[in-house]
Amino acid sequence: MPTDLNRRTFLYGSAFAVLAATADKALAQVKRTPQCRVIVDNDFAGDPDGLVALAHQLASKASRCVGVTTSTLDPGLAAAGGLKPGATAAAGAEAARELIGLMGIDPRDCPVAAGSETIGPDAAQPSAAVKLIVAEALRDDPLPLVFACGGPLTNLAQALRIRPDIARRMKLIWIGGGAYPAGGHEYNLATDAKAAQAVFGHRDLPIWQVPLPAYERCLISIEDFEANLRPISATTQWLYRRYTQLPPFVKLGGVIGFGDSALVLLTALSDKSSPAHDRTARAILDDGRYGEEIAGRFVKVFDGLDVRLLLSDFMTAMRAHG
């Protein structure tokens, strides 16, 4: 009898050891390391998709968000939305800080800095956003720096004006501009065309551009948002509420645009599955059209985005973070 008991004890113990080892292997995770540092720049007081993209960027394990800078809204749009013109960069900074706090991220790891409330590459004094951009660009770090902008290029233009040398120390990924080759009206460009002209004029600055025809196809259905995204966490519920507070002139149908999330796709995931090509840059005209080619200046232009990869990763990142 004791011999049989010892045998069973040994067998059971061996079985549990095998199960434990199998469980350890099942729980092991593929190691992910940040591929770049990211400064996220957006007009966060406007369309909530900028905050959706920020939440995704903050939750990513493959990029390191080192700062958030905010830009102002077009004064007419701000007034129509019930916001105080001339105070929307500050309002956007407040929203970004609220989201960072909600996600439990130490604000020292990802500081938020408001940009100028006036558009254009010139500014009487450098804003907090400009100071953050310049300081991060000049900081020695083995990870390359990406300035990921989903709004007007005001903050970057002002930073480049006072320190042109930082153009060699970063890459710009910008959601903005009309379709090539003609161009035309597009909000991010139209809000501060002078800033876009100044930024595209810096030949040492690598630029990846996601124009309107590409980013406007990045969509999620409202039904999907409500059923599958909103219930995940306090963060996704907060993001959903931002869409319930849109001004009356915004009329949603069955979908919501997540165009600014292309910034996360191209920094934290991959650009390989999104069609793009290098084209000779063109001068940007005041009305948003593209003018003459700029000899020797090239821009990587994305013709489409891998929306499946983007939305799948966003849902998963929100679940993991929540």
Side-chain angles (χ1 to χ4, degrees):
M1 183 70 179
T3 303
D4 185 54
L5 177 62
N6 291 340
R7 185 182 299 111
R8 281 182 291 175
T9 302
F10 172 78
L11 291 173
Y12 289 151
S14 299
F16 281 125
V18 171
L19 288 172
T22 302
D24 286 342
K25 289 181 179 179
L27 293 174
Q29 293 183 328
V30 175
K31 185 178 180 180
R32 285 155 290 183
T33 55
Q35 301 300 299
C36 62
R37 292 173 290 148
V38 180
I39 296 175
V40 176
D41 183 278
N42 219 313
D43 47 358
F44 294 108
D47 191 330
D49 73 326
L51 292 166
V52 169
L54 177 59
H56 193 179
Q57 195 87 61
L58 292 168
S60 169
K61 296 179 181 179
S63 66
R64 177 153 56 90
C65 188
V66 294
V68 176
T69 54
T70 68
S71 57
T72 193
L73 293 177
D74 173 87
L77 180 65
L83 300 172
K84 182 180 178 181
T88 54
E94 182 179 347
R97 291 189 185 102
E98 184 178 350
L99 175 60
I100 288 171
L102 182 63
M103 295 183 69
I105 294 169
D106 191 329
R108 294 171 296 183
D109 294 334
C110 188
V112 178
S116 173
E117 298 289 357
T118 58
I119 63 171
D122 301 319
Q125 295 291 333
S127 66
V130 166
K131 293 176 182 178
L132 186 153
I133 294 166
V134 171
E136 187 61 36
L138 294 177
R139 190 169 66 84
D140 289 330
D141 193 297
L143 289 180
L145 178 62
V146 177
F147 188 79
C149 181
L153 289 166
T154 307
N155 292 327
L156 183 57
Q158 292 180 1
L160 288 168
R161 183 170 179 80
I162 64 172
R163 287 300 300 258
D165 55 317
I166 65 173
R168 295 181 179 149
R169 299 179 65 88
M170 68 173 72
K171 175 173 69 182
L172 166 65
I173 303 180
W174 182 45
I175 309 292
Y180 281 89
H185 184 273
E186 187 276 328
Y187 174 79
N188 291 341
L189 174 55
T191 300
D192 197 347
K194 296 297 184 187
Q197 291 165 355
V199 168
F200 274 66
H202 281 267
R203 293 176 179 267
D204 294 330
L205 177 68
I207 297 177
W208 289 7
Q209 182 182 2
V210 185
L212 177 63
Y215 76 73
E216 69 178 356
R217 296 175 187 169
C218 188
L219 302 167
I220 184 173
S221 75
I222 296 177
E223 296 284 348
D224 194 1
F225 199 148
E226 290 178 341
N228 299 314
L229 181 58
R230 179 176 56 172
I232 291 174
S233 67
T235 298
T236 55
Q237 291 165 20
W238 183 88
L239 292 170
Y240 180 85
R241 283 196 299 273
R242 305 292 294 197
Y243 283 95
T244 69
Q245 300 163 0
L246 296 174
F249 70 84
V250 178
K251 306 295 184 184
L252 295 177
V255 297
I256 291 172
F258 275 11
D260 286 347
S261 293
L263 298 170
V264 190
L265 175 68
L266 301 178
T267 56
L269 296 172
S270 175
D271 64 292
K272 304 302 182 186
S273 58
S274 297
H277 62 280
D278 294 325
R279 65 162 57 245
T280 303
R282 291 180 174 271
I284 296 176
L285 306 180
D286 290 342
D287 62 1
R289 292 181 298 119
Y290 300 120
E292 296 295 322
E293 290 186 346
I294 304 173
R297 178 65 157 122
F298 297 94
V299 176
K300 184 172 184 176
V301 178
F302 284 82
D303 304 305
L305 299 167
D306 188 342
V307 178
R308 185 211 61 79
L309 174 61
L310 173 61
L311 293 182
S312 173
D313 186 76
F314 178 51
M315 293 281 192
T316 305
M318 289 295 97
R319 290 191 185 98
H321 190 85

PDB file of all heavy atoms in Angstrom, residues 103-121:
ATOM      1  N   MET A 103      -5.148  57.120 -17.727  1.00  0.00           N
ATOM      2  CA  MET A 103      -4.451  55.900 -18.114  1.00  0.00           C
ATOM      3  C   MET A 103      -3.368  55.510 -17.116  1.00  0.00           C
ATOM      4  O   MET A 103      -2.669  54.505 -17.305  1.00  0.00           O
ATOM      5  CB  MET A 103      -3.865  56.059 -19.522  1.00  0.00           C
ATOM      6  CG  MET A 103      -4.921  56.206 -20.600  1.00  0.00           C
ATOM      7  SD  MET A 103      -4.244  56.317 -22.290  1.00  0.00           S
ATOM      8  CE  MET A 103      -3.613  54.646 -22.532  1.00  0.00           C
ATOM      9  N   GLY A 104      -3.219  56.296 -16.051  1.00  0.00           N
ATOM     10  CA  GLY A 104      -2.269  55.956 -15.004  1.00  0.00           C
ATOM     11  C   GLY A 104      -0.823  56.148 -15.401  1.00  0.00           C
ATOM     12  O   GLY A 104       0.075  55.496 -14.848  1.00  0.00           O
ATOM     13  N   ILE A 105      -0.563  57.044 -16.320  1.00  0.00           N
ATOM     14  CA  ILE A 105       0.804  57.294 -16.797  1.00  0.00           C
ATOM     15  C   ILE A 105       1.391  58.466 -16.022  1.00  0.00           C
ATOM     16  O   ILE A 105       0.730  59.496 -15.829  1.00  0.00           O
ATOM     17  CB  ILE A 105       0.798  57.580 -18.304  1.00  0.00           C
ATOM     18  CG1 ILE A 105       0.363  56.321 -19.061  1.00  0.00           C
ATOM     19  CG2 ILE A 105       2.159  58.064 -18.790  1.00  0.00           C
ATOM     20  CD1 ILE A 105       0.075  56.540 -20.519  1.00  0.00           C
ATOM     21  N   ASP A 106       2.620  58.321 -15.585  1.00  0.00           N
ATOM     22  CA  ASP A 106       3.298  59.387 -14.858  1.00  0.00           C
ATOM     23  C   ASP A 106       3.492  60.577 -15.798  1.00  0.00           C
ATOM     24  O   ASP A 106       4.134  60.439 -16.844  1.00  0.00           O
ATOM     25  CB  ASP A 106       4.656  58.890 -14.360  1.00  0.00           C
ATOM     26  CG  ASP A 106       5.318  59.847 -13.378  1.00  0.00           C
ATOM     27  OD1 ASP A 106       5.095  61.071 -13.510  1.00  0.00           O
ATOM     28  OD2 ASP A 106       6.064  59.378 -12.507  1.00  0.00           O
ATOM     29  N   PRO A 107       2.940  61.741 -15.472  1.00  0.00           N
ATOM     30  CA  PRO A 107       3.074  62.903 -16.374  1.00  0.00           C
ATOM     31  C   PRO A 107       4.506  63.338 -16.596  1.00  0.00           C
ATOM     32  O   PRO A 107       4.798  64.019 -17.585  1.00  0.00           O
ATOM     33  CB  PRO A 107       2.254  63.989 -15.664  1.00  0.00           C
ATOM     34  CG  PRO A 107       2.160  63.552 -14.243  1.00  0.00           C
ATOM     35  CD  PRO A 107       2.160  62.060 -14.268  1.00  0.00           C
ATOM     36  N   ARG A 108       5.406  62.925 -15.723  1.00  0.00           N
ATOM     37  CA  ARG A 108       6.817  63.262 -15.935  1.00  0.00           C
ATOM     38  C   ARG A 108       7.406  62.453 -17.086  1.00  0.00           C
ATOM     39  O   ARG A 108       8.383  62.879 -17.708  1.00  0.00           O
ATOM     40  CB  ARG A 108       7.615  63.009 -14.655  1.00  0.00           C
ATOM     41  CG  ARG A 108       7.247  63.935 -13.495  1.00  0.00           C
ATOM     42  CD  ARG A 108       7.904  63.506 -12.203  1.00  0.00           C
ATOM     43  NE  ARG A 108       7.423  62.185 -11.773  1.00  0.00           N
ATOM     44  CZ  ARG A 108       7.803  61.598 -10.645  1.00  0.00           C
ATOM     45  NH1 ARG A 108       8.657  62.200  -9.840  1.00  0.00           N
ATOM     46  NH2 ARG A 108       7.323  60.406 -10.334  1.00  0.00           N
ATOM     47  N   ASP A 109       6.824  61.288 -17.354  1.00  0.00           N
ATOM     48  CA  ASP A 109       7.310  60.459 -18.457  1.00  0.00           C
ATOM     49  C   ASP A 109       6.819  60.964 -19.809  1.00  0.00           C
ATOM     50  O   ASP A 109       7.427  60.671 -20.841  1.00  0.00           O
ATOM     51  CB  ASP A 109       6.864  59.007 -18.270  1.00  0.00           C
ATOM     52  CG  ASP A 109       7.510  58.362 -17.063  1.00  0.00           C
ATOM     53  OD1 ASP A 109       8.618  58.800 -16.680  1.00  0.00           O
ATOM     54  OD2 ASP A 109       6.909  57.425 -16.502  1.00  0.00           O
ATOM     55  N   CYS A 110       5.700  61.673 -19.806  1.00  0.00           N
ATOM     56  CA  CYS A 110       5.117  62.173 -21.057  1.00  0.00           C
ATOM     57  C   CYS A 110       4.527  63.563 -20.796  1.00  0.00           C
ATOM     58  O   CYS A 110       3.308  63.715 -20.665  1.00  0.00           O
ATOM     59  CB  CYS A 110       4.053  61.205 -21.570  1.00  0.00           C
ATOM     60  SG  CYS A 110       3.441  61.622 -23.224  1.00  0.00           S
ATOM     61  N   PRO A 111       5.363  64.580 -20.716  1.00  0.00           N
ATOM     62  CA  PRO A 111       4.867  65.927 -20.406  1.00  0.00           C
ATOM     63  C   PRO A 111       4.010  66.489 -21.536  1.00  0.00           C
ATOM     64  O   PRO A 111       4.197  66.160 -22.701  1.00  0.00           O
ATOM     65  CB  PRO A 111       6.154  66.739 -20.229  1.00  0.00           C
ATOM     66  CG  PRO A 111       7.200  65.984 -20.998  1.00  0.00           C
ATOM     67  CD  PRO A 111       6.822  64.539 -20.880  1.00  0.00           C
ATOM     68  N   VAL A 112       3.063  67.330 -21.163  1.00  0.00           N
ATOM     69  CA  VAL A 112       2.165  67.978 -22.108  1.00  0.00           C
ATOM     70  C   VAL A 112       2.493  69.464 -22.141  1.00  0.00           C
ATOM     71  O   VAL A 112       2.631  70.101 -21.086  1.00  0.00           O
ATOM     72  CB  VAL A 112       0.694  67.782 -21.716  1.00  0.00           C
ATOM     73  CG1 VAL A 112      -0.229  68.509 -22.685  1.00  0.00           C
ATOM     74  CG2 VAL A 112       0.351  66.293 -21.674  1.00  0.00           C
ATOM     75  N   ALA A 113       2.609  70.025 -23.342  1.00  0.00           N
ATOM     76  CA  ALA A 113       2.943  71.434 -23.484  1.00  0.00           C
ATOM     77  C   ALA A 113       2.026  72.086 -24.508  1.00  0.00           C
ATOM     78  O   ALA A 113       1.913  71.611 -25.641  1.00  0.00           O
ATOM     79  CB  ALA A 113       4.412  71.594 -23.912  1.00  0.00           C
ATOM     80  N   ALA A 114       1.379  73.158 -24.119  1.00  0.00           N
ATOM     81  CA  ALA A 114       0.478  73.873 -25.019  1.00  0.00           C
ATOM     82  C   ALA A 114       1.281  74.713 -26.004  1.00  0.00           C
ATOM     83  O   ALA A 114       2.301  75.323 -25.651  1.00  0.00           O
ATOM     84  CB  ALA A 114      -0.471  74.768 -24.222  1.00  0.00           C
ATOM     85  N   GLY A 115       0.791  74.760 -27.236  1.00  0.00           N
ATOM     86  CA  GLY A 115       1.425  75.563 -28.266  1.00  0.00           C
ATOM     87  C   GLY A 115       0.857  76.961 -28.336  1.00  0.00           C
ATOM     88  O   GLY A 115       0.013  77.367 -27.531  1.00  0.00           O
ATOM     89  N   SER A 116       1.307  77.691 -29.335  1.00  0.00           N
ATOM     90  CA  SER A 116       0.859  79.062 -29.538  1.00  0.00           C
ATOM     91  C   SER A 116      -0.622  79.088 -29.923  1.00  0.00           C
ATOM     92  O   SER A 116      -1.101  78.210 -30.632  1.00  0.00           O
ATOM     93  CB  SER A 116       1.696  79.721 -30.633  1.00  0.00           C
ATOM     94  OG  SER A 116       1.176  80.986 -30.962  1.00  0.00           O
ATOM     95  N   GLU A 117      -1.317  80.110 -29.443  1.00  0.00           N
ATOM     96  CA  GLU A 117      -2.721  80.296 -29.810  1.00  0.00           C
ATOM     97  C   GLU A 117      -2.863  81.072 -31.122  1.00  0.00           C
ATOM     98  O   GLU A 117      -3.971  81.276 -31.610  1.00  0.00           O
ATOM     99  CB  GLU A 117      -3.481  81.013 -28.696  1.00  0.00           C
ATOM    100  CG  GLU A 117      -3.534  80.261 -27.364  1.00  0.00           C
ATOM    101  CD  GLU A 117      -4.421  79.026 -27.393  1.00  0.00           C
ATOM    102  OE1 GLU A 117      -5.056  78.759 -28.429  1.00  0.00           O
ATOM    103  OE2 GLU A 117      -4.465  78.313 -26.362  1.00  0.00           O
ATOM    104  N   THR A 118      -1.746  81.483 -31.690  1.00  0.00           N
ATOM    105  CA  THR A 118      -1.758  82.165 -32.988  1.00  0.00           C
ATOM    106  C   THR A 118      -1.053  81.293 -34.007  1.00  0.00           C
ATOM    107  O   THR A 118      -0.095  80.585 -33.685  1.00  0.00           O
ATOM    108  CB  THR A 118      -1.072  83.534 -32.909  1.00  0.00           C
ATOM    109  OG1 THR A 118       0.283  83.367 -32.450  1.00  0.00           O
ATOM    110  CG2 THR A 118      -1.804  84.446 -31.944  1.00  0.00           C
ATOM    111  N   ILE A 119      -1.545  81.329 -35.234  1.00  0.00           N
ATOM    112  CA  ILE A 119      -0.980  80.477 -36.279  1.00  0.00           C
ATOM    113  C   ILE A 119       0.206  81.161 -36.941  1.00  0.00           C
ATOM    114  O   ILE A 119       0.471  82.347 -36.730  1.00  0.00           O
ATOM    115  CB  ILE A 119      -2.047  80.113 -37.329  1.00  0.00           C
ATOM    116  CG1 ILE A 119      -2.556  81.378 -38.037  1.00  0.00           C
ATOM    117  CG2 ILE A 119      -3.194  79.345 -36.692  1.00  0.00           C
ATOM    118  CD1 ILE A 119      -3.439  81.077 -39.225  1.00  0.00           C
ATOM    119  N   GLY A 120       0.914  80.390 -37.765  1.00  0.00           N
ATOM    120  CA  GLY A 120       2.044  80.924 -38.503  1.00  0.00           C
ATOM    121  C   GLY A 120       3.364  80.488 -37.913  1.00  0.00           C
ATOM    122  O   GLY A 120       3.448  80.133 -36.727  1.00  0.00           O
ATOM    123  N   PRO A 121       4.426  80.495 -38.736  1.00  0.00           N
ATOM    124  CA  PRO A 121       5.742  80.052 -38.260  1.00  0.00           C
ATOM    125  C   PRO A 121       6.426  81.046 -37.338  1.00  0.00           C
ATOM    126  O   PRO A 121       7.412  80.706 -36.681  1.00  0.00           O
ATOM    127  CB  PRO A 121       6.540  79.861 -39.555  1.00  0.00           C
ATOM    128  CG  PRO A 121       5.878  80.765 -40.544  1.00  0.00           C
ATOM    129  CD  PRO A 121       4.425  80.806 -40.175  1.00  0.00           C
TER     130      PRO A 121
END
